[in-house]
Amino acid sequence: MISICMAVFNVEDYISSALNSILNQTYQDFEVVIVDDHSTDNTPLIIYNQFCKKDKRFKLYCNITDTNLKYVDAHNKSYALASGDYLIRFDGDDIMYPNHLETIVSFMDTNLHVDACCTFVDRKLDDKLNGLSDYYSSSKRLKGWENREDLSIDLKQTEEFNRCPAYIYKDNSLAWFNQSSCIRKSWFDKYKPKFTLIKNGDFVFWWRVLGLGATLYKIPAFTLIYREHFDSICHSDLFKTYGPDYEWQIDIAENKAKAFAKYYPDMKLGKYTAGDMVALFKNTVNYFRKEMNLHNGK
């Protein structure tokens, strides 16, 4: 069995199509662990009435911790409550193609050395739900993280990523699609990585996974539709207001240093070695710690 892990917040316009796309999967041995994070719309009612009451595989939990923790705590709870062999991330406003789960399970079952994988995603720019057929027919290919043209769907780049994920990044992009990601539960239970930030939280999480020595693999198949709209958390001004990003910069630099140190320590990036990159990121950590102290008047 696999676990589809979801943290949701105010997605009443999208959640039905998202969960119906799970029901339409060719692979059916799953549980869906959904943690609602203080939604103020009808999201939890839709989930419970339309899915949980009709199918015991759908399990709804409500996050009752401090609302200041927001989405981060709900993500961690969805992973902690899961019991499947694979933990598959899915957002309440995205859509799975029918072969999404089967593609991931088939790959992970036959590649036991891989700890986590993701697939390519299609991108749909839309503020409102216009019907599932519209998304299948008119979605655009996402070529980079947050629309950056970093060739992350280029096969050569994908091969390089699969050889050494720490090598392939550009403008702080890991060229990795968190929306379609999967982690082997045995690895997750051993290392217990956690989401710690809302802004750039996915990015920090996967650098943390790399820093722990995980083997990542990017499957060159489009199996999911990533839906962009103004109500989504990553595009909401509410979740972009952080003030100085010193703590984030320190966190990400520390995890990058660990990733470069553990992944192919003899790796070379042109004239630079992995050791050079570790030193660079450690210097970055020290720099931002000084900046944070100055900002706090220390």
Side-chain angles (χ1 to χ4, degrees), residues 11-63:
V11 286
E12 63 178 10
D13 290 336
Y14 310 100
I15 191 64
S16 291
S17 61
L19 298 185
N20 276 320
S21 75
I22 297 176
L23 289 175
N24 290 331
Q25 290 297 295
T26 56
Y27 188 90
Q28 287 285 309
D29 189 10
F30 59 75
E31 66 171 356
V32 186
V33 179
I34 309 170
V35 179
D36 180 79
D37 190 57
H38 304 94
S39 287
T40 57
D41 63 4
N42 291 317
T43 295
L45 291 176
I46 293 171
I47 295 171
Y48 181 74
N49 290 325
Q50 295 185 17
F51 297 92
C52 295
K53 288 175 66 173
K54 299 176 182 179
D55 193 327
K56 64 181 181 180
R57 295 175 298 178
F58 289 82
K59 305 170 184 179
L60 175 63
Y61 303 87
C62 292
N63 189 15

Side-chain angles (χ1 to χ4, degrees), residues 47-93:
I47 295 171
Y48 181 74
N49 290 325
Q50 295 185 17
F51 297 92
C52 295
K53 288 175 66 173
K54 299 176 182 179
D55 193 327
K56 64 181 181 180
R57 295 175 298 178
F58 289 82
K59 305 170 184 179
L60 175 63
Y61 303 87
C62 292
N63 189 15
I64 59 173
T65 54
D66 187 347
T67 55
N68 288 328
L69 294 174
K70 294 184 169 61
Y71 216 48
V72 172
D73 196 44
H75 271 307
N76 291 328
K77 278 183 167 57
S78 70
Y79 280 90
L81 291 165
S83 57
D85 295 311
Y86 305 131
L87 311 181
I88 295 180
R89 165 74 183 269
F90 187 49
D91 289 333
D93 51 2

Side-chain angles (χ1 to χ4, degrees), residues 164-167 169 206-214 252-269 272-282:
C164 181
Y167 181 93
Y169 77 101
W206 286 106
W207 275 106
R208 182 172 292 117
V209 169
L210 267 182
L212 290 168
I252 195 62
E254 286 180 334
N255 284 291
K256 282 183 179 180
K258 292 177 182 177
F260 274 91
K262 287 196 173 186
Y263 247 96
Y264 299 91
D266 58 344
M267 177 183 63
K268 290 187 177 181
L269 299 93
Y272 299 104
T273 66
D276 294 329
M277 301 304 293
V278 171
L280 169 65
F281 292 127
K282 285 185 176 179

Side-chain angles (χ1 to χ4, degrees), residues 128-147:
K128 294 181 180 179
L129 182 64
N130 291 326
L132 190 60
S133 61
D134 291 339
Y135 289 104
Y136 284 152
S137 62
S138 63
S139 58
K140 297 179 181 179
R141 291 286 151 94
L142 179 63
K143 290 188 176 182
W145 184 253
E146 295 181 349
N147 304 332

